[in-house]
């Protein structure tokens, strides 16, 4: 999830663990704990593109990381707050809960997380987008209300529990909504006589009303959108896989790693002689049926027998255009 959401979650968890004893300091250190796992983005500055993608939501998002580093961070806080009422074990528990709930929440997103690192298993329930105002804003409001209360007041505890409970209920509801959307999309495929081998359903950005599906139809992928306000069948756009365009590059180490990262959901396209590797898991840059640019695509540059991979930049104007299209499409077809 986005940084603000993880800060709010970490602060709320910190409050639940130690708020009655140390007050707003529990929220403060909980917010730090909720931020720490995302420091893996620093890999972008020290590693190549493919390696940085592999490291993202890896080691720092694992149970192993939480267990090892919680007592270390807890000890540091204990030394900083040596005159405070909390013990080293209590600070360590707060840090563990803050560190561990971060990847738990990330596991519900499209990208998922390697919760059981170093085992090669990525958990991704794909029922909530990385930014969802309906999850974050009510949570934030109740956290602020709790923060404004004295630490020994029951009202402070209740406000914090309201935030944790409502956000958790919404997360659970999104799983139900995914199941319904998935059924509607598969019903449309069957009604239209479309044969497929696999389907991947996920929420569209910023909401759980409009859902998208990638459909493996053999030599191509189909992409369709379903809103709970729709009154017409789901329409699917076709995108050829074009895997053969890779040629000898298909055997390169970086391409094999990209295939693994995308779990096979990728296409290749050629623009003016330049090859691009498209990650289908995060959708297109617009809802236009003729759209060909994906949100995450990588330029493949082969020179002197070496392959380099560069992520294509995302422009702010494209994001604004997509948001407007999502808003319109969300209300039905």
């Amino acid at each position: 999830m986005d940084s603000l959401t993880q800060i709010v979650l970490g602060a709320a968890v910190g409050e639940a663990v130690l708020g009655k004893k140390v007050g707003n300091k529990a929220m403060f250190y909980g917010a730090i704990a909720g931020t720490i796992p995302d420091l893996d983005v620093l890999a972008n500055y020290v590693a190549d593109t493919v390696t940085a993608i592999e490291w993202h939501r890896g080691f720092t998002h694992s149970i192993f990381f939480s267990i090892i580093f919680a007592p270390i961070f807890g000890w540091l806080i204990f030394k900083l707050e040596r005159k405070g009422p909390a013990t080293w074990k209590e600070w360590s528990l707060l840090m563990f809960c803050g560190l561990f709930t971060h990847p738990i929440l990330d596991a519900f997103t499209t990208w998922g997380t390697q919760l059981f690192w170093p085992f090669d298993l990525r958990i991704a329930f794909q029922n909530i987008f990385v930014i969802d105002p309906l999850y974050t804003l009510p949570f934030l409001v109740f956290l602020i209300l709790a923060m404004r209360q004295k630490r020994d007041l029951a009202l402070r505890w209740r406000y914090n529990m309201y935030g944790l409970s409502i956000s958790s209920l919404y997360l659970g509801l999104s799983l139900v909504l995914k199941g319904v959307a998935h059924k509607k999309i598969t019903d449309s495929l069957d009604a239209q006589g479309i044969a497929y081998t696999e389907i991947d359903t996920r929420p569209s950005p910023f909401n759980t009303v409009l859902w998208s599906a990638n459909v493996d139809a053999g030599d191509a992928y189909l992409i369709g959108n379903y809103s709970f306000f729709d009154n017409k069948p789901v329409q699917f756009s076709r995108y050829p896989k074009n895997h053969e365009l890779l040629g000898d590059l298909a055997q390169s180490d970086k391409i094999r790693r990209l295939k693994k990262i995308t779990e096979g959901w990728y296409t290749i396209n050629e623009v003016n002689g330049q090859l691009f590797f498209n990650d289908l898991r995060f959708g297109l840059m617009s809802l236009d049926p003729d759209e060909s640019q994906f949100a995450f695509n990588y330029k493949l540059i082969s020179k002197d027998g070496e392959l380099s991979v560069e992520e294509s930049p995302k422009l702010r104007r494209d994001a604004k255009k997509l948001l407007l299209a999502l808003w319109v499409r969300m209300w039905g077809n």
Side-chain angles (χ1 to χ4, degrees):
M1 297 290 285
D2 64 285
S3 297
L4 175 60
T5 301
Q6 293 291 7
I7 287 172
V8 172
L9 175 61
V13 169
E15 170 64 23
V17 173
L18 213 51
K20 289 184 178 180
K21 181 169 281 192
V22 301
N24 286 342
K25 286 184 178 181
M27 291 188 184
F28 174 71
Y29 288 114
I32 291 176
T35 303
I36 287 173
D38 276 342
L39 293 180
D40 61 3
V41 298
L42 296 176
N44 293 326
Y45 299 101
V46 297
D48 64 89
T49 299
V50 178
T51 302
I53 296 170
E54 290 174 325
W55 287 357
H56 184 49
R57 294 191 182 178
F59 168 62
T60 61
H61 287 67
S62 66
I63 299 173
F64 178 76
F65 179 85
S66 300
I67 292 173
I68 296 299
F69 284 91
I72 296 174
F73 293 135
W75 180 81
L76 291 173
I77 297 171
F78 176 68
K79 289 299 182 180
L80 287 172
E81 304 288 343
R82 62 179 62 191
K83 294 183 180 180
T87 66
W88 165 56
K89 289 184 178 180
E90 288 173 322
W91 284 120
S92 298
L93 176 62
L94 181 151
M95 292 304 293
F96 174 81
C97 291
L99 291 170
F100 188 51
T101 51
H102 179 124
I104 290 294
L105 179 57
D106 278 346
F108 290 94
T109 66
T110 300
W111 190 275
T113 184
Q114 290 179 264
L115 196 61
F116 300 105
W117 184 96
F119 296 103
D120 188 15
L121 175 64
R122 184 174 291 273
I123 309 297
F125 298 113
Q126 299 187 344
N127 58 290
I128 192 169
F129 189 66
V130 291
I131 303 174
D132 191 325
L134 286 180
Y135 179 88
T136 306
L137 294 181
F139 205 173
L140 177 61
V141 168
F142 280 113
L143 183 68
I144 293 172
L145 289 173
M147 188 186 305
R148 294 170 62 87
Q149 308 300 316
K150 293 182 179 179
R151 70 184 184 188
D152 56 349
L153 290 181
L155 184 60
R156 178 186 175 104
W157 182 85
R158 285 201 297 271
Y159 278 144
N160 194 52
M161 287 300 106
Y162 289 156
L164 285 166
S165 299
I166 291 172
S167 61
S168 297
L169 286 172
Y170 178 73
L171 201 59
L173 174 62
S174 67
L175 283 169
V176 176
L177 295 176
K178 174 177 178 171
V180 175
H182 181 84
K183 180 65 166 56
K184 293 290 186 180
I185 293 168
T186 54
D187 285 349
S188 285
L189 287 166
D190 294 339
Q192 297 174 46
I194 298 174
Y196 62 95
T197 58
E198 194 174 356
I199 182 170
D200 185 51
T201 308
R202 64 187 186 279
S204 61
F206 310 111
N207 74 98
T208 50
V209 174
L210 179 62
W211 293 76
S212 299
N214 294 334
V215 182
D216 190 340
D219 63 344
Y221 289 111
L222 308 179
I223 296 181
N225 298 297
Y226 169 76
S227 167
F228 286 103
F229 294 104
D230 281 357
N231 52 27
K232 298 177 183 178
V234 178
Q235 299 297 312
F236 298 93
S237 298
R238 187 176 185 275
Y239 297 87
K241 292 182 178 180
N242 293 331
H243 292 175
E244 70 280 358
L245 292 178
L246 286 171
D248 293 339
L249 292 178
Q251 304 307 316
S252 71
D253 175 64
K254 288 183 179 179
I255 293 298
R256 288 200 300 267
R257 288 156 64 193
L258 280 174
K259 290 178 182 179
K260 183 178 179 181
I261 289 168
T262 62
E263 299 177 346
W265 293 98
Y266 73 96
T267 66
I268 305 296
N269 68 320
E270 186 174 1
V271 180
N272 298 324
Q274 174 64 61
L275 288 180
F276 290 87
F277 185 106
N278 305 301
D279 187 340
L280 271 63
R281 296 173 301 158
F282 305 98
L284 294 149
M285 288 303 296
S286 79
L287 298 183
D288 189 323
D290 297 323
E291 179 62 74
S292 60
Q293 183 178 353
F294 288 84
F296 282 84
N297 69 90
Y298 305 91
K299 183 188 294 186
L300 307 179
I301 304 171
S302 181
K303 185 176 181 180
D304 299 328
E306 293 291 327
L307 177 66
S308 62
V309 177
E310 295 180 3
E311 182 177 346
S312 300
K314 301 171 186 62
L315 303 178
R316 180 169 295 183
R317 67 170 181 269
D318 292 331
K320 291 180 178 179
K321 182 180 178 181
L322 177 60
L323 284 176
L324 178 60
L326 286 170
W327 176 257
V328 173
R329 179 64 183 84
M330 186 176 70
W331 299 108
N333 58 5

